[in-house]
């Protein structure tokens, strides 16, 4: 395993100018994230200079099997906290081969709105608070909860400290630092009202960049929970009853 760790952490810049670009997009449900990697001959820092790419949309619920090709258009670049070095994460949106946005591509219309001169002149600032729940992998029950049972009532958990109040802080702190490394304007984190539930805040970010940053922050969190063997849930009501829900609260300045 130590050799595997060494290979994962290889510094490619010691031997080559080639980099790895992880192309990220939103899948057919509107919430699932997908990604695939490709090798580029050298570092690119402008999404307009990145090559478009394609994928099988019939496997993501975004195209029929008889006409399954979907094209990825790179829209934003972030540093890759997993591969590090000069490697990058690339947020993309999705189009038909003819250049039409597919139905699940909500970014295209948003970009048209934000790029309108009247809107751009207002310089809209956004702050987005993203709540989420960490679940035990095999039972899909909140992290720290007794399997099939419940913790004590809500009250001590919000912004709580201690092994009987906060579960998953290592995941949360890893995500916080990884987002800062990536160049995401993450402004804070905190434990939420329901135990096993947390929140991160992105912003202030201007216009369409707020959406790009939130989606890449979600992607990074998915990857970290994958490594930790924990399930990430954005379900607005993961536990029924008198337990706090989860959402993404948006503030406009």
């Amino acid at each position: 395993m130590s050799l595997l760790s060494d290979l994962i952490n290889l510094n490619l810049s010691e031997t080559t100018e080639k980099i790895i670009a992880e192309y990220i997009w939103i899948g057919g449900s509107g919430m699932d994230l997908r990604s695939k990697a490709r090798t580029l001959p050298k570092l690119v820092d402008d999404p307009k200079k990145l090559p478009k790419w394609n994928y099988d949309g019939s496997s993501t619920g975004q195209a029929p099997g008889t006409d399954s090709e979907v094209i990825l258009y790179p829209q934003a670049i972030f540093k890759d906290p997993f591969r590090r070095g000069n490697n990058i994460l690339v947020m993309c949106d999705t189009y038909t081969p003819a250049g039409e946005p597919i139905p699940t591509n909500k970014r295209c219309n948003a970009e048209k709105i934000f790029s309108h001169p009247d809107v751009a002149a207002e310089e809209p600032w956004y702050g987005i608070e993203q709540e989420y729940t960490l679940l035990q992998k095999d039972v899909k029950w909140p992290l720290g909860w007794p399997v099939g049972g419940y913790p004590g009532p809500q009250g001590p958990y919000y912004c709580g400290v201690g092994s009987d109040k906060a579960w998953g802080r290592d995941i949360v702190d890893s995500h916080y630092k990884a987002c800062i490394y990536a160049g995401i304007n993450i402004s804070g984190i905190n434990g939420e009202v329901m135990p096993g539930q947390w929140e991160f805040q992105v912003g202030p970010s201007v216009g369409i960049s707020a959406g790009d940053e939130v989606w890449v922050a979600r992607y990074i969190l998915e990857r970290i929970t994958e490594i930790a063997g924990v399930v990430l849930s954005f379900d607005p009501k993961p536990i029924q009853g008198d337990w706090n829900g989860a959402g993404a609260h948006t503030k406009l300045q």
Side-chain angles (χ1 to χ4, degrees):
M1 292 303 294
S2 62
L3 176 57
L4 181 61
S5 179
D6 289 343
L7 291 170
I8 290 173
N9 292 309
L10 276 176
N11 184 355
L12 299 180
S13 63
E14 293 178 351
T15 58
T16 181
E17 291 187 351
K18 292 180 180 180
I19 67 161
I20 301 170
E22 190 77 27
Y23 281 46
I24 303 164
W25 71 96
I26 302 165
S29 73
M31 276 302 295
D32 60 309
L33 282 158
R34 310 287 178 133
S35 73
K36 57 190 293 193
R38 69 179 295 168
T39 306
L40 300 177
K42 62 181 180 179
L43 178 63
V44 178
D45 57 8
D46 181 350
K48 293 183 175 60
K49 296 179 181 178
L50 285 167
K52 296 173 184 175
W53 207 9
N54 67 319
Y55 68 93
D56 174 12
S58 68
S59 298
T60 63
Q62 293 172 294
T66 53
D67 186 16
S68 64
E69 186 174 36
V70 179
I71 310 301
L72 293 167
Y73 285 35
Q75 299 293 355
I77 293 174
F78 300 86
K79 293 176 65 178
D80 187 339
F82 303 102
R83 296 188 176 103
R84 289 173 284 184
N86 291 326
N87 303 299
I88 56 175
L89 304 177
V90 183
M91 190 65 211
C92 304
D93 60 354
T94 46
Y95 296 80
T96 68
E100 296 295 324
I102 67 172
T104 55
N105 181 356
K106 309 302 182 185
R107 190 189 188 282
C108 182
N109 281 335
E111 174 63 24
K112 290 177 183 177
I113 294 169
F114 283 117
S115 62
H116 189 283
D118 293 343
V119 177
E122 292 292 331
E123 195 178 353
W125 286 18
Y126 288 92
I128 302 176
E129 302 175 2
Q130 176 67 70
E131 296 170 336
Y132 60 93
T133 308
L134 299 174
L135 304 177
Q136 301 170 56
K137 183 178 179 181
D138 295 328
V139 293
K140 303 293 180 66
W141 202 237
L143 201 65
W145 290 34
V147 176
Y150 298 87
Q154 294 177 154
Y157 309 111
Y158 174 70
C159 297
V161 179
S163 61
D164 59 342
K165 303 178 190 71
W167 294 284
R169 192 182 296 277
D170 53 347
I171 293 170
V172 174
D173 277 349
S174 297
H175 175 248
Y176 194 2
K177 289 185 175 181
C179 285
I180 292 173
Y181 178 95
I184 293 167
N185 192 23
I186 186 170
S187 51
I189 58 169
N190 61 268
E192 265 302 333
V193 176
M194 188 179 80
Q197 188 182 76
W198 296 82
E199 175 185 291
F200 66 88
Q201 302 94 34
V202 167
S205 300
V206 179
I208 195 72
S209 64
D212 291 334
E213 291 180 19
V214 166
W215 276 108
V216 175
R218 289 171 177 166
Y219 173 83
I220 291 172
L221 185 54
E222 286 269 24
R223 288 282 303 274
I224 290 172
T225 54
E226 173 190 322
I227 294 166
V230 171
V231 174
L232 171 63
S233 173
F234 293 115
D235 190 324
K237 190 66 175 175
I239 303 297
Q240 298 303 307
D242 190 23
W243 297 100
N244 199 54
H249 313 298
T250 305
K251 296 178 171 65
L252 170 64
Q253 177 65 43

